[in-house]
Amino acid sequence: MAGVEEPRHEWRVPWQVVALKIAGAVLFGVLATIGDHHQLFLAGVVALGFAVVAVRDLVVPVRLSAGADGLVVAGLAGRERVSWNDVDRIRVDSRRRYGLTTELLEIEAGDQVHLFSRFDLGASVFDVADELMKSRP
């Protein structure tokens, strides 16, 4: 049928994560206004870091989308379309350190490796990996 577009699956940064980053920017911004010069500098740098990642999340909330034609990976540097033919591997890397488990979705496409956490996707990286494998032709 003409005009019918294939449905895409999208994964976005949860609003709660964005709110925490904004709160961190505000908190450290306030801390940067009190204290000595060393605290001012350090708190200012941290506030700026939180602000940058919060703005990134507000400007580009959808980090990954998938459809029949491939993937769209988005970030501050822009959007990149990745054809399914260019995707070499999709896997979840799980590591345990200091009592914490870190899980990252890895998408290898040629020389590029795209990494996503559950905080980027708003879903379990295992569920997203399964959905990507089902979407892949």
Side-chain angles (χ1 to χ4, degrees):
M1 278 193 273
V4 175
E5 192 171 311
E6 183 71 25
R8 296 192 73 80
H9 300 282
E10 291 185 341
W11 294 276
R12 63 182 55 239
V13 178
W15 67 267
Q16 298 94 332
V17 172
V18 179
L20 282 173
K21 291 175 184 176
I22 292 170
V26 169
L27 174 68
F28 281 97
V30 169
L31 289 176
T33 62
I34 56 177
D36 63 18
H37 295 296
H38 297 289
Q39 289 173 341
L40 172 96
F41 177 74
L42 185 58
V45 169
V46 173
L48 182 62
F50 272 119
V52 167
V53 294
V55 167
R56 175 197 64 185
D57 294 347
L58 290 170
V59 172
V60 188
V62 176
R63 285 293 194 288
L64 177 65
S65 61
D69 57 341
L71 305 172
V72 177
V73 178
L76 267 184
R79 288 178 153 12
E80 180 180 349
R81 292 190 178 278
V82 180
S83 162
W84 284 118
N85 293 332
D86 295 333
V87 175
D88 299 323
R89 185 164 77 165
I90 298 170
R91 75 181 194 104
V92 174
D93 180 40
S94 183
R95 297 178 188 256
R96 186 164 174 81
R97 269 181 248 181
Y98 307 116
L100 298 173
T101 302
T102 304
E103 297 164 343
L104 292 175
L105 173 65
E106 295 181 1
I107 300 172
E108 293 181 23
D111 293 340
Q112 298 179 339
V113 177
H114 302 283
L115 302 172
F116 302 96
S117 73
R118 67 184 170 106
F119 301 111
D120 292 318
L121 303 172
S124 162
V125 292
F126 292 101
D127 293 344
V128 175
D130 288 343
E131 192 63 41
L132 289 176
M133 294 304 246
K134 290 176 189 173
S135 299
R136 192 173 187 175

